[in-house]
Amino acid sequence: MREDRADEPAIPSLSGRPWWAANEGLAFALELVALACLCWWGFTAGDGLAVHLLLGIGMPAVAIVLWGTFAAPRARIRLPLAGVLVVKAVVLGGGAFGLYQVGHPVAAVVLAVVVVVNTALAETFRRGPAPRA
């Protein structure tokens, strides 16, 4: 029996390339959904055409800049894990909040739960198990 277990998966039943690829695909879909929810909220928030346009276009644009700068796989600025998770919480959580604000609280909670589970699995897949002594 081998003593070196560094190459063993963190969660054996969920490991492997297909699960990782599916989770990464879901993460990308969740990012797009969050942007769409921010856009939807922005176009319905406030009064007047100018405010609708500013929020409807501006909020997703700010989210895209934040994501691309700090949270994307090829981000320009590499933050520690805690910083990346904060950016993800702001952008993806903002999408869930926007969905709540447009009158879909159950869908917002479902989106938030899926985001948390997806992010937790993504971080689990990125990290291997702790080396054993």
Side-chain angles (χ1 to χ4, degrees):
M1 188 165 133
R2 287 180 31 168
E3 291 297 319
D4 178 25
R5 297 178 185 220
D7 60 344
E8 285 184 15
I11 303 174
S13 62
L14 296 178
S15 65
R17 200 84 176 135
W19 281 105
W20 177 85
N23 198 58
E24 291 297 312
L26 177 60
F28 181 67
L30 290 171
E31 294 161 21
L32 295 177
V33 167
L35 291 175
C37 291
L38 285 171
C39 187
W40 186 9
W41 168 79
F43 279 120
T44 61
D47 293 324
L49 180 61
V51 174
H52 290 307
L53 290 174
L54 181 64
L55 291 175
I57 296 169
M59 289 303 289
V62 168
I64 289 168
V65 169
L66 278 173
W67 195 272
T69 304
F70 301 111
R74 294 183 183 165
R76 291 178 175 235
I77 299 173
R78 304 302 275 165
L79 295 177
L81 177 61
V84 172
L85 292 176
V86 167
V87 172
K88 287 183 175 188
V90 167
V91 172
L92 299 173
F97 178 75
L99 190 57
Y100 177 83
Q101 288 297 103
V102 296
H104 297 281
V106 174
V109 170
V110 169
L111 177 61
V113 168
V114 172
V115 163
V116 168
V117 171
N118 174 263
T119 303
L121 284 174
E123 292 308 317
T124 300
F125 289 147
R126 287 186 186 111
R127 300 174 184 278
R132 294 187 179 183

